Amino acid sequence: DIVMTQSPDSLAVSLGERATINCKSSQSLSYISNNKNSLAWYQQRPGQPPKLLLYWASTRESGVPDRFSGSGSGTDFTLTISSLQAEDVAVYYCQQNSGPPYTFGQGTKVEIK
Amino acid sequence: EVQLVQSGAEVKKPGESLKISCQGSGYTFTTYWIGWVRQVPGKGLEWMGDIYPRDSDTRYNPSFQGQVTISADKSISTTYLQWSSLKASDTAMYFCARHTVDSDCFDSWGQGTLVTVPA
């Protein structure tokens, strides 16, 4: 199985400041055929199901604010929230969708400082 | 609007059986894989397996193979997750989620079904 490791486990950021979450996979997630990476990011607010934010490592899902962006390739990926808002308090997960079994990172909790 | 609506919370005893459901609407149910994801209270997300409702082709995470059964009834746009003998360690929130066609991530999620099996 592909192991996904996120860092940090939690972070506290002031409103309006940048939040950065890292995700590392134990195997490359790059698709040679389409030059894309099989990596998705989700946001889970307290008491809610996860919500898809980004797929193919950097493509925003419809309706997701542009303060959320993704980057990276191969085994190292980053989710950036450019200007943290109060509604961004949540746990964020990366997930590899290279193939089953699909695996998630352990989650990163984002709070307001 | 795509919707996945799950059955309600359950409290069961160890050794009992259980079947929870997930009904899809707002899209062509038979042409998208539906996955089941476990979340133990306070913990992360684990993919358990999924099903393609058109032909009931099913894939399981080896960690859950033999522990649960995933099925579907395409006539009522519903998938199921069932246990034949629950354990206390099955206490968790269970989500169903729709795979996207091209990228295989989960673009729509059910609201979750909390299963509680007191020790």
Side-chain angles (χ1 to χ4, degrees), chain A residues 40 42 44 48-50 52 55-56 61 93 95 97 100-102 104 106, chain B residues 39 43-45 47 50 59 61 95 99 102-107 109-110:
Chain A
Y42 300 86
Q44 188 177 29
Q48 295 191 14
L52 177 64
Y55 56 97
W56 293 133
E61 174 73 336
Y93 295 92
Q95 178 230 338
N97 39 279
Y102 304 105
F104 295 85
Q106 80 277 17
Chain B
Q39 187 168 40
K43 302 297 184 182
L45 304 167
W47 176 78
D50 52 24
R59 306 178 294 191
N61 183 331
F95 296 102
H99 282 267
D102 56 351
S103 65
D104 242 357
C105 57
F106 300 105
D107 66 347
W109 293 69

Side-chain angles (χ1 to χ4, degrees), chain A residues 2-80:
Chain A
I2 298 175
V3 177
M4 307 298 292
T5 305
Q6 293 180 227
S7 62
D9 289 333
S10 64
L11 74 162
V13 176
S14 300
L15 289 172
E17 296 299 306
R18 179 185 300 259
T20 301
I21 301 169
N22 301 301
C23 175
K24 191 174 185 66
S25 60
S26 62
Q27 299 176 29
S28 175
L29 303 182
S30 294
Y31 262 140
I32 296 174
S33 59
N34 61 7
N35 200 32
K36 293 182 178 180
N37 290 271
S38 300
L39 190 282
W41 288 98
Y42 300 86
Q43 174 194 65
Q44 188 177 29
R45 294 181 174 128
Q48 295 191 14
K51 172 188 173 184
L52 177 64
L53 295 177
L54 300 154
Y55 56 97
W56 293 133
S58 60
T59 302
R60 261 189 305 276
E61 174 73 336
S62 176
V64 173
D66 60 7
R67 64 179 179 275
F68 292 93
S69 63
S71 63
S73 183
T75 61
D76 293 280
F77 301 90
T78 300
L79 171 69
T80 301

Side-chain angles (χ1 to χ4, degrees), chain B residues 15-30:
Chain B
E16 290 187 328
S17 63
L18 176 64
K19 192 174 191 178
I20 62 175
S21 65
C22 167
Q23 184 172 43
S25 62
Y27 71 100
T28 305
F29 182 75
T30 52

Side-chain angles (χ1 to χ4, degrees), chain B:
Chain B
E1 179 195 6
V2 174
Q3 279 197 310
L4 296 173
V5 178
Q6 298 185 228
S7 51
E10 302 273 1
V11 180
K12 306 292 281 187
K13 296 177 181 175
E16 290 187 328
S17 63
L18 176 64
K19 192 174 191 178
I20 62 175
S21 65
C22 167
Q23 184 172 43
S25 62
Y27 71 100
T28 305
F29 182 75
T30 52
T31 58
Y32 288 81
W33 287 84
I34 295 286
W36 285 93
V37 176
R38 184 176 80 170
Q39 187 168 40
V40 173
K43 302 297 184 182
L45 304 167
E46 301 171 276
W47 176 78
M48 302 174 71
D50 52 24
I51 190 164
Y52 191 64
R54 170 168 285 179
D55 58 8
S56 288
D57 187 17
T58 309
R59 306 178 294 191
Y60 289 95
N61 183 331
S63 298
F64 293 92
Q65 181 94 42
Q67 308 305 307
V68 296
T69 301
I70 296 171
S71 60
D73 184 343
K74 59 186 179 183
S75 69
I76 55 172
S77 302
T78 299
T79 63
Y80 301 96
L81 177 67
Q82 69 180 95
W83 296 259
S84 59
S85 180
L86 286 160
K87 302 184 275 287
S89 57
D90 293 318
T91 294
M93 181 72 81
Y94 293 88
F95 296 102
C96 61
R98 189 184 80 161
H99 282 267
T100 59
V101 172
D102 56 351
S103 65
D104 242 357
C105 57
F106 300 105
D107 66 347
S108 294
W109 293 69
Q111 81 276 20
T113 296
L114 180 62
V115 174
T116 303
V117 187

